[in-house]
Amino acid sequence: MWNLPNSLTVFRILLVPLLVVVLLTRFSGSEFWGLGIFLLAALTDLFDGIIARRTGAVTVVGTLLDPIADKLLISAAFISLVELGLAPAWMVVIILGREFAVTGLRQVAHERGVVIAATWWGKLKTLSQIICVSLLIVSFQLGRWALLGKIALWVSVALAAASLVTYFRAFWRRVAEVGR
């Protein structure tokens, strides 16, 4: 149960409160510290999966904790950005709503013996969110380039919606197959 991938996942969970405190506490360089913490946490997500698959260290605990850690990180980051006035709440609700809707779909599918695998839309969505959060965190420092963060936010919302549609389609198609 306790292996390197699961340790990385727990480490990511422990970074979440630190990220929120750093983002919401204004001090010299807080944006860069926040960006560093966020990117470190995002990298642990990448590496825990790679390590688990390559070493055969996939565990039930890891399978349960990894998506929770992902949602905690992205939720904390986006909610902090709303608090800082860097992201409109309605856009963040769409992004986070997608996360919880897909989690619910996967749970229902799992209960019916159906696995809804990650798609490239979901991977693009995750990448866009990492880029978006990163740009928004340092937007005060970007000057006229701060518009990039807003554009990235629109891209994240669009990809969240697109990936939600693909997951719903996969869900209905797979559940209909099982029902036959």
Side-chain angles (χ1 to χ4, degrees), residues 124-138:
L124 278 175
K125 179 264 323 167
T126 300
L127 179 61
S128 77
Q129 289 176 351
I130 292 168
I131 292 168
C132 172
V133 167
S134 297
L135 288 169
L136 290 174
I137 287 172
V138 295

Side-chain angles (χ1 to χ4, degrees), residues 26-99:
R26 299 323 262 149
F27 59 89
S28 178
S30 63
E31 296 92 354
F32 297 109
W33 280 101
L35 177 63
I37 293 165
F38 177 74
L39 290 176
L40 176 61
L43 282 173
T44 66
D45 183 30
L46 174 68
F47 288 123
D48 69 4
I50 290 171
I51 293 167
R53 284 186 293 279
R54 287 192 180 164
T55 64
V58 176
T59 65
V60 173
V61 170
T63 304
L64 293 172
L65 276 184
D66 186 65
I68 291 169
D70 296 345
K71 280 154 191 51
L72 281 172
L73 176 64
I74 214 66
S75 296
F78 273 118
I79 291 168
S80 296
L81 292 169
V82 169
E83 176 69 18
L84 292 169
L86 297 172
W90 70 268
M91 294 177 98
V92 170
V93 167
I94 290 170
I95 290 168
L96 299 183
R98 179 263 178 221
E99 296 300 320

Side-chain angles (χ1 to χ4, degrees), residues 8 13 23 32 34 43 51 66 91 93 100 105 107 116 141-142 146 166 176 180:
L8 288 171
I13 291 169
L23 289 178
F32 297 109
L43 282 173
I51 293 167
D66 186 65
M91 294 177 98
V93 167
F100 292 101
L105 280 178
Q107 181 62 36
I116 306 294
Q141 302 295 329
L142 293 176
T166 63
R180 289 184 200 165

